Amino acid sequence: MKTILKNILFACCLAAFVPVAGAAQRGTAEEASALVKQAIAYQKKNGVDKTLAEVSNQQGQFVDRDLYLSVYDLNGKVVAHGANKRIIGIDASQVRDADNKYFVREILAKAASAGQGWVDYKWVDPVSKKIEDKSAYFEKSGELVFAAGYYKQ
């Protein structure tokens, strides 16, 4: 019960800080994957520290409407987050979605084996305030995993 409450609190805190956009201005799968690729290119040019700072800048180049990046180390610790700096440092591998799925664990496992891909999960939509289907594109770059998700509406 304590874990469920913790996950709900995490989701609510995250949703409260995500920039709100109208339905017509939602990010797409193509835009989510492009955002991840853009961040990895930025990392190769500017280094890890500058990239993590820019990813966590809510007014920076890696936040676009309802799209933002999450960056994890290979153990699941959040090292940068475009929607909520307060979750940097948490172990996201312990977070579950509305269906009790450890979606970050799945992202990390697929990143370790395939290097990139998609993971579907259910998450609180900051616009509708309801649990919605979401899909995250991710890529492994060195010792980090970059992910960006979009709501599948």
Side-chain angles (χ1 to χ4, degrees):
M1 183 68 166
K2 191 175 186 181
T3 302
I4 293 170
L5 291 174
K6 186 170 114 180
N7 288 333
I8 291 169
L9 179 61
F10 176 81
C12 290
C13 287
L14 181 58
F17 289 94
V18 176
V20 176
Q25 299 176 343
R26 293 302 187 104
T28 65
E30 294 78 18
E31 291 169 327
S33 63
L35 195 63
V36 168
K37 292 177 185 308
Q38 178 186 356
I40 291 172
Y42 185 94
Q43 175 197 12
K44 289 177 181 174
K45 181 178 180 184
N46 298 288
V48 172
D49 292 339
K50 190 170 181 181
T51 302
L52 298 180
E54 185 62 18
V55 165
S56 295
N57 176 359
Q58 291 180 335
Q59 283 75 47
Q61 63 182 301
F62 300 117
V63 176
D64 179 15
R65 297 161 294 159
D66 61 337
L67 298 175
Y68 57 89
L69 290 167
S70 301
V71 184
Y72 309 101
D73 71 11
L74 299 180
N75 295 313
K77 183 173 92 175
V78 178
V79 294
H81 201 278
N84 186 356
K85 288 183 183 182
R86 290 195 245 178
I87 65 170
I88 294 172
I90 71 150
D91 181 1
S93 70
Q94 300 302 313
V95 176
R96 293 182 252 186
D97 76 350
D99 289 337
N100 216 25
K101 176 181 179 179
Y102 289 102
F103 65 96
V104 175
R105 286 183 189 176
E106 186 175 341
I107 289 170
L108 296 172
K110 287 183 175 182
S113 64
Q116 64 184 26
W118 290 92
V119 167
D120 295 328
Y121 58 104
K122 295 189 189 264
W123 204 248
V124 176
D125 182 325
V127 175
S128 71
K129 306 294 187 217
K130 296 178 183 173
I131 295 171
E132 304 282 353
D133 290 328
K134 191 168 184 179
S135 189
Y137 176 76
F138 62 86
E139 282 190 32
K140 183 176 181 256
S141 178
E143 300 296 308
L144 300 174
V145 177
F146 290 76
Y150 76 101
Y151 289 93
K152 300 166 85 172
Q153 297 184 7

